Amino acid sequence: MLCREDYLMILIRRREGVQIKDIAAELGVHPKTVSRALKRGDAPSHKRRRRGSVLDPYRWKVDALTAAKVWNGKVILRELQALGYTGSYTVLNDYLRPARRERRAQGRATVRFETAPGEQLQHDWGERWVSVGGVERKVYFAVNTLGFSRRFHVLAGFSQDAEHTYESLVRSFAYFGGVARSVLVDNQKSAVLERRAGGEVRFNERFLDVAGHYGFVPKACRPYRARTKGKTERMVRYVKEHFFVRYRAFETLAHLNQQLLAWLGVEADRRVHGTHGEVVIERFACEAPALSTLPALPYDTSYRETRIVGWDGYIEVRGNRYSVPARLCGKVIAVRIGLDDTLKVIDPHGDVVARHALRPMVCGWQCIPEHHLDLWRESGAVERRDLAVYEEAARWN
């Protein structure tokens, strides 16, 4: 069965003009499977349930033994059998194989790996304590580096969560004017949710959405082999030792990112790289034509949440309340909270019906008067009664 990564590969190869039968041969599937995926516009949505293994109750013991550097499968098998394990040695060996592979890889000397123009972008995070608005704060910065030219982009923020990870990629693609064929990430939860036996990777669904929007193939470093993305790790160190040594205080986070962008153009892009020996921006001129074109609209990296609209026509977001059209009172709506502190309210039909700038509670509830015109009309409709009604009631009393 095709997975989302397979579909992204199909999409990219098709854009490159590769024939369907050749794509199918690469993936080891029937050409009709590739044709159906292209017609459907995605990988199959149904998921197979993972079957349990007779080894599952004993994995803790296997992990404890390997952590103690016991790698002999026969020895481990005897230990498990003493605990009641009835499975075969083959099942145990299949479980041990990926860990053994990683153990052997850790002992090997690192071989420098060079990529073709436009082939790969590597992503990584760093952190530094700096003064922002007169307050010492920890800032995180995402570095996205092109493998061929070593040109990189940096985005700083107060968080390194999934949304900031995706935003860093979006801005780096815009900075480079195109998209690399693959993006290599560490095993952070914003990208990789799980690694299964045999090295299979389950990517974060939203990370796959970003990949589909921009047309790149997501790839993850093997566990304990983060040096496979050494190009961008060296750029993280470069930012620390060059930018943050020179600049230590910033008015705002926006000011910090403005300084980073200016520094990239003046210094980082103009440096002579120690490996390929060329000026980075000049080598990038050879890589730029190999990057794929940007989509018409950037990916929306906003936080995605839901709210129930109160009967007063307001929703609560991050400690303050914001108005929405009165017709949505009592309904469940979606909200999009941008990294620039903008708020979009989306009705059940998918239409944006309100926009606000986030404000602290001290600024008071944020209201757009047009949202509540109907509520005001209803509250102003007071019933008028003839005085004779009250005179009749007095006689009865």
Side-chain angles (χ1 to χ4, degrees), residues 86-97:
T86 58
S88 67
Y89 175 73
T90 301
V91 173
L92 171 62
N93 204 41
D94 287 344
Y95 180 72
L96 287 171
R97 189 177 296 112

Side-chain angles (χ1 to χ4, degrees), residues 294-365:
L294 294 168
L297 295 173
Y299 183 82
D300 184 1
T301 59
S302 301
Y303 294 94
R304 302 180 178 188
E305 301 176 7
T306 58
R307 294 291 189 277
I308 298 177
V309 181
W311 292 107
D312 58 358
Y314 284 87
I315 57 172
E316 190 278 330
V317 178
R318 295 187 179 177
N320 203 356
R321 293 174 65 80
Y322 300 86
S323 66
V324 301
R327 62 182 173 80
L328 296 175
C329 289
K331 297 186 181 299
V332 177
I333 50 91
V335 297
R336 299 288 183 267
I337 306 170
L339 301 185
D340 57 353
D341 286 340
T342 57
L343 171 66
K344 291 191 293 186
V345 179
I346 302 170
D347 69 10
H349 300 292
D351 298 323
V352 178
V353 294
R355 298 176 187 269
H356 293 276
L358 293 183
R359 294 286 184 267
M361 188 61 185
V362 294
C363 296
W365 293 14

Side-chain angles (χ1 to χ4, degrees), residues 165-273:
T165 295
Y166 309 147
E167 182 68 17
S168 78
L169 291 171
V170 169
R171 296 203 191 185
S172 69
F173 296 147
Y175 182 72
F176 300 138
V179 184
R181 192 166 182 267
S182 65
V183 172
L184 180 66
V185 297
D186 209 338
N187 292 280
Q188 62 216 63
K189 290 300 182 183
S190 59
V192 178
L193 294 181
E194 181 184 8
R195 275 190 173 272
R196 297 168 177 157
E200 180 186 356
V201 177
R202 183 165 73 92
F203 285 103
N204 185 306
E205 282 295 322
R206 200 165 177 206
F207 182 56
L208 291 177
D209 285 342
V210 178
H213 188 85
Y214 285 95
F216 64 79
V217 176
K219 294 187 177 181
C221 293
R222 291 178 294 171
Y224 314 113
R225 287 277 292 177
R227 64 179 179 270
T228 55
K229 58 177 177 58
K231 297 182 181 72
T232 198
E233 286 184 337
R234 283 189 286 275
M235 294 306 98
V236 169
R237 187 170 68 245
Y238 181 83
V239 174
K240 289 180 179 179
E241 295 175 353
H242 289 74
F243 178 82
F244 283 110
V245 168
R246 182 183 304 177
Y247 304 99
R248 297 287 303 164
F250 309 92
E251 298 171 7
T252 61
L253 183 62
H255 178 228
L256 166 55
N257 280 307
Q258 289 170 1
Q259 291 287 87
L260 276 169
L261 201 59
W263 173 80
L264 286 173
V266 172
E267 181 173 328
D269 283 351
R270 306 292 172 183
R271 75 192 189 283
V272 176
H273 195 271

Side-chain angles (χ1 to χ4, degrees), residues 3-287:
C3 61
R4 288 288 300 278
E5 297 91 282
D6 294 330
Y7 172 71
L8 292 173
M9 176 65 77
I10 290 171
L11 198 61
I12 291 171
R13 298 294 281 160
R14 193 63 178 151
R15 287 174 180 169
E16 293 173 349
V18 180
Q19 301 244 350
I20 287 178
K21 63 181 180 64
D22 295 326
I23 299 175
E26 287 183 32
L27 294 174
V29 299
H30 196 278
K32 287 184 178 179
T33 302
V34 176
S35 298
R36 283 195 295 266
L38 290 170
K39 185 176 181 180
R40 185 172 48 244
D42 205 344
S45 58
H46 57 280
K47 298 179 181 178
R48 292 178 178 174
R49 293 181 60 185
R50 180 182 176 273
R51 296 176 60 186
S53 168
V54 68
L55 182 64
D56 286 348
Y58 306 95
R59 289 188 179 189
W60 65 271
K61 183 64 174 178
V62 179
D63 294 340
L65 289 169
T66 55
K69 303 189 184 305
V70 177
W71 290 95
N72 187 309
K74 296 297 183 181
V75 172
I76 296 174
L77 179 63
R78 287 195 294 271
E79 292 285 338
L80 298 186
Q81 288 173 338
L83 296 174
Y85 173 68
T86 58
S88 67
Y89 175 73
T90 301
V91 173
L92 171 62
N93 204 41
D94 287 344
Y95 180 72
L96 287 171
R97 189 177 296 112
R100 284 171 170 162
R101 189 185 303 125
E102 297 302 333
R103 179 170 172 258
R104 288 194 299 269
Q106 289 181 41
R108 295 173 187 161
T110 300
V111 178
R112 189 176 298 280
F113 176 68
E114 294 297 330
T115 55
E119 177 65 24
Q120 187 184 84
L121 177 142
Q122 296 185 3
H123 167 85
D124 200 12
W125 282 93
E127 59 185 54
R128 266 290 184 265
W129 281 89
V130 296
S131 174
V132 181
V135 179
E136 282 292 316
R137 297 194 60 173
K138 180 187 286 189
V139 296
Y140 304 90
F141 58 95
V143 179
N144 293 294
T145 306
L146 291 171
F148 176 76
S149 65
R150 306 303 204 278
R151 193 182 188 201
F152 67 90
H153 178 265
V154 190
L155 178 67
F158 293 133
S159 171
Q160 57 174 343
D161 58 13
E163 287 73 16
H164 284 81
T165 295
Y166 309 147
E167 182 68 17
S168 78
L169 291 171
V170 169
R171 296 203 191 185
S172 69
F173 296 147
Y175 182 72
F176 300 138
V179 184
R181 192 166 182 267
S182 65
V183 172
L184 180 66
V185 297
D186 209 338
N187 292 280
Q188 62 216 63
K189 290 300 182 183
S190 59
V192 178
L193 294 181
E194 181 184 8
R195 275 190 173 272
R196 297 168 177 157
E200 180 186 356
V201 177
R202 183 165 73 92
F203 285 103
N204 185 306
E205 282 295 322
R206 200 165 177 206
F207 182 56
L208 291 177
D209 285 342
V210 178
H213 188 85
Y214 285 95
F216 64 79
V217 176
K219 294 187 177 181
C221 293
R222 291 178 294 171
Y224 314 113
R225 287 277 292 177
R227 64 179 179 270
T228 55
K229 58 177 177 58
K231 297 182 181 72
T232 198
E233 286 184 337
R234 283 189 286 275
M235 294 306 98
V236 169
R237 187 170 68 245
Y238 181 83
V239 174
K240 289 180 179 179
E241 295 175 353
H242 289 74
F243 178 82
F244 283 110
V245 168
R246 182 183 304 177
Y247 304 99
R248 297 287 303 164
F250 309 92
E251 298 171 7
T252 61
L253 183 62
H255 178 228
L256 166 55
N257 280 307
Q258 289 170 1
Q259 291 287 87
L260 276 169
L261 201 59
W263 173 80
L264 286 173
V266 172
E267 181 173 328
D269 283 351
R270 306 292 172 183
R271 75 192 189 283
V272 176
H273 195 271
T275 299
H276 55 61
E278 299 179 44
V279 176
V280 168
I281 195 64
E282 294 176 1
R283 187 172 173 90
F284 173 74
C286 300
E287 184 165 31

